[in-house]
Amino acid sequence: MTEAAAPVGEVTALGTPLRPFRFAAAGEGNKQEGGARKFVQTAQEAEEMGYDTFVVPDHLGDQIGPIAALGALTQATDKIRLGTSVLANGFRHPVVLAKELATLDVLSKGRLEVGVGAGWIKEEFENAGIPYERPGIRLEKLDESLTILDTLLRGQECTFEGKHYQVRGIKGTPRPRQGPRPPLCTGGGGPRMLALAAKHADIVSVVPQTTKNGKGLLSGITLEKTIEKVEIVKAAAGDRFADIELNWAITAIVITDDREKTAEMALRAIERGLHPDLEVDVELTADDILNSPYIAIGTFEEIAEQVKRVRQLTSMSYVGIFPTQMDAFAPVIPLLRED
């Protein structure tokens, strides 16, 4: 996998080695992005721009099907890694999913990253007639699924007797190209989900917490809250924490020569309720906005410095970019490759 260089011998504030940066673009193939017909082109553009990975989410609304779409990308791209961010565990049985994922890894010549989550949009499950269990049950199922996937994606035989899944002697085929298996990715914002991710994942995504209605909590975007979440992962992972790659997604990118003024404008917009997907549970300052890992404001050089600072303070090094922000962030990538 292609990675940005990291200063030799440096460590983060948490005492782990400073990991090289990686950058992931995303695509859904929805109407705003030009639909399914432009999806392949979007991934090819991400590859040309220097992104390391192209990931696809998993929802039942206006987007392409991730497994079929990634199958097309195995042939339409050459170097960029391909991932799911993330598959809803409740939509597929892990044994069936393992075969699809192993096939993708073979067809892509070892470029797959497997992102799986518990599933969180209640309406999608209900509209599809799929049971949407309480959080504890969904986490139990995800725990079991990741255990099964870990075995099958190594090309091994799986016998598993769990509370929710029973697997009796199925062997993982085809054998993935990557060894010992394609990397597993999961994550979240709550302590139980982060601890589960620390148990299983090679890549842990650190995200702001959401309400029961799916709104993001404003308090969750702060640097301080992010560090708290990373500390949860560190405590749960124990000795393997240094081997985990931490990921986060920048949700808003604003290129400007006046960071402070733009941050003040963002605060006023939040106060007026112009961000309906946010639940305002705290009062933030302009500095809180400027220090947030999830918001990038400034010149390309200032954003690059901000991303470096986030890595130093949190150990997070794998930067995700939303589909509509791919072009805006691209000029920052070479600045961080020089790091």
Side-chain angles (χ1 to χ4, degrees):
M1 84 182 52
T2 303
E3 295 182 337
V8 177
E10 289 193 28
V11 296
T12 69
L14 297 179
T16 55
L18 207 62
R19 276 183 173 269
F21 282 115
R22 289 206 296 143
F23 307 98
E28 299 182 6
N30 58 30
K31 292 177 182 177
Q32 289 73 24
E33 297 171 18
R37 287 179 297 178
K38 195 181 177 184
F39 173 79
V40 170
Q41 180 184 339
T42 302
Q44 291 170 333
E45 290 172 352
E47 187 170 52
E48 292 171 2
M49 290 177 185
Y51 286 93
D52 298 286
T53 314
F54 190 81
V55 300
V56 187
D58 184 24
H59 297 294
L60 300 180
D62 176 25
Q63 72 152 80
I64 44 78
I67 302 297
L70 288 176
L73 294 186
T74 65
Q75 306 305 301
T77 60
D78 297 315
K79 297 180 180 179
I80 196 167
R81 293 180 64 78
L82 306 172
T84 54
S85 182
V86 292
L87 297 174
N89 182 61
F91 291 170
R92 302 168 189 84
H93 192 284
V95 171
V96 178
L97 177 60
K99 180 167 287 290
E100 299 293 337
L101 295 172
T103 301
L104 287 173
D105 195 59
V106 172
L107 294 178
S108 67
K109 299 180 181 178
R111 291 186 282 144
L112 182 68
E113 295 181 6
V114 179
V116 186
W120 59 279
I121 299 183
K122 182 179 181 181
E123 184 180 13
E124 290 188 344
F125 282 79
E126 292 178 341
N127 290 347
I130 300 172
Y132 185 77
E133 291 103 348
R134 58 184 176 82
I137 297 297
R138 283 183 283 124
L139 289 183
E140 286 177 357
K141 286 188 170 182
L142 179 60
D143 189 5
E144 293 187 10
S145 284
L146 290 170
T147 301
I148 294 166
L149 287 172
D150 177 62
T151 299
L152 293 176
L153 289 176
R154 295 173 187 268
Q156 299 174 353
E157 183 177 297
C158 180
T159 297
F160 180 84
E161 289 292 331
K163 180 178 178 181
H164 304 284
Y165 300 107
Q166 294 78 43
V167 183
R168 300 180 178 97
I170 290 288
K171 186 174 182 179
T173 59
R175 177 70 172 86
R177 286 283 295 270
Q178 295 181 84
R181 56 155 171 71
L184 293 176
C185 172
T186 193
R192 287 189 298 173
M193 188 65 229
L194 289 169
L196 177 61
K199 173 184 175 182
H200 289 284
D202 306 289
I203 304 165
V204 174
S205 293
V206 181
V207 303
Q209 280 186 280
T210 58
T211 67
K212 292 182 179 180
N213 297 323
K215 288 187 175 182
L217 289 176
L218 184 61
S219 61
I221 73 169
T222 65
L223 178 62
E224 291 75 19
K225 280 290 184 183
T226 306
I227 293 173
E228 288 180 15
K229 293 183 179 74
V230 173
E231 292 281 8
I232 292 172
V233 176
K234 182 179 181 182
D239 292 341
R240 68 181 295 264
F241 179 68
D243 297 325
I244 293 175
E245 185 176 33
L246 296 175
N247 161 257
W248 85 105
I250 299 176
T251 58
I253 299 170
V254 182
I255 308 303
T256 176
D257 292 326
D258 195 332
R259 298 184 78 227
E260 289 72 19
K261 181 179 179 181
T262 304
E264 293 287 355
M265 291 173 60
L267 279 178
R268 289 195 293 270
I270 292 170
E271 291 168 358
R272 295 198 299 269
L274 297 182
H275 294 280
D277 293 332
L278 274 178
E279 179 157 318
V280 180
D281 60 330
V282 293
E283 184 175 333
L284 299 185
T285 66
D287 283 342
D288 291 326
I289 297 294
L290 293 174
N291 290 327
S292 170
Y294 303 96
I295 302 172
I297 298 174
T299 64
F300 297 131
E301 291 76 13
E302 287 172 331
I303 290 175
E305 289 303 315
Q306 178 188 354
V307 172
K308 290 178 187 178
R309 182 169 180 266
V310 168
R311 180 179 64 173
Q312 172 61 34
L313 295 176
T314 68
S315 298
M316 300 191 304
S317 59
Y318 193 179
V319 187
I321 303 298
F322 277 54
T324 55
Q325 308 284 303
M326 192 173 78
D327 291 352
F329 189 80
V332 179
I333 293 178
L335 300 179
L336 293 169
R337 296 285 186 207
E338 298 170 1
D339 186 50

